[in-house]
């Protein structure tokens, strides 16, 4: 069955960096659009970054553009989110999402990883 396992979250000071990983299994990775979302208490889940199927494009929320980079390793079936110049407002639970480009109802979520940016 499909599994998405996030890792790499933690506590970091403002201005610091973290690299999140999401390891996918049980799916044909090259068919899936991979995204990172984040959510804080009292707020709706927010799309942070999306990387389409191989050969596609990336998209970023305006709030993270220039600071975050999404990438994928198609051999390891893993998507990454490199987060630089972190701000306190980046604090959230970050979720990995996989959505089949051809069959959009095939849509999966990881369990999330906590990122806390605080001095």
């Amino acid at each position: 069955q499909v599994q998405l396992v996030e890792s790499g979250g933690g506590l970091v000071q403002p201005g610091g960096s973290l690299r999140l990983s999401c390891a996918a299994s049980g799916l044909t990775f090259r068919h899936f659009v991979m995204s990172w979302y984040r959510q804080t208490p009292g707020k709706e889940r927010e799309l942070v970054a999306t990387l389409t199927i191989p050969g596609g494009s990336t998209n970023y929320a305006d709030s993270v553009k220039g600071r975050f980079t999404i990438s994928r390793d198609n051999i390891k079936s893993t998507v990454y989110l490199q987060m630089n110049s972190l701000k306190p407002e980046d604090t959230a639970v970050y979720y990995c999402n996989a959505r089949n480009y051809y069959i959009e109802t095939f849509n999966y979520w990881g369990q999330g990883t906590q990122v806390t940016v605080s001095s």
Side-chain angles (χ1 to χ4, degrees):
Q1 62 183 15
V2 172
Q3 286 189 318
L4 302 176
V5 180
E6 300 104 329
S7 61
L11 175 64
V12 65
Q13 293 183 346
S17 297
L18 286 173
R19 183 178 175 87
L20 306 183
S21 299
C22 172
S25 61
L27 53 77
T28 303
F29 190 69
R30 68 182 185 275
H31 292 170
F32 279 77
V33 177
M34 303 300 297
S35 297
W36 288 95
Y37 289 74
R38 66 187 181 188
Q39 188 168 25
T40 56
K43 296 184 65 177
E44 297 294 319
R45 190 167 295 186
E46 173 191 21
L47 177 62
V48 176
T50 295
L51 179 57
T52 60
I53 58 174
S57 61
T58 58
N59 290 284
Y60 298 93
D62 288 342
S63 59
V64 308
K65 194 171 298 182
R67 300 188 297 119
F68 291 10
T69 303
I70 188 171
S71 61
R72 62 194 293 163
D73 185 328
N74 295 311
I75 302 302
K76 296 182 178 180
S77 295
T78 299
V79 64
Y80 304 95
L81 186 67
Q82 178 66 47
M83 305 185 294
N84 298 327
S85 302
L86 283 161
K87 304 174 180 179
E89 50 263 46
D90 295 318
T91 296
V93 178
Y94 284 72
Y95 296 91
C96 179
N97 173 263
R99 183 177 70 255
N100 191 294
Y101 182 80
Y102 307 98
I103 309 172
E104 293 189 8
T105 54
F106 292 175
N107 189 37
Y108 308 100
W109 293 91
Q111 295 299 309
T113 185
Q114 176 71 47
V115 172
T116 302
V117 185
S118 176
S119 60

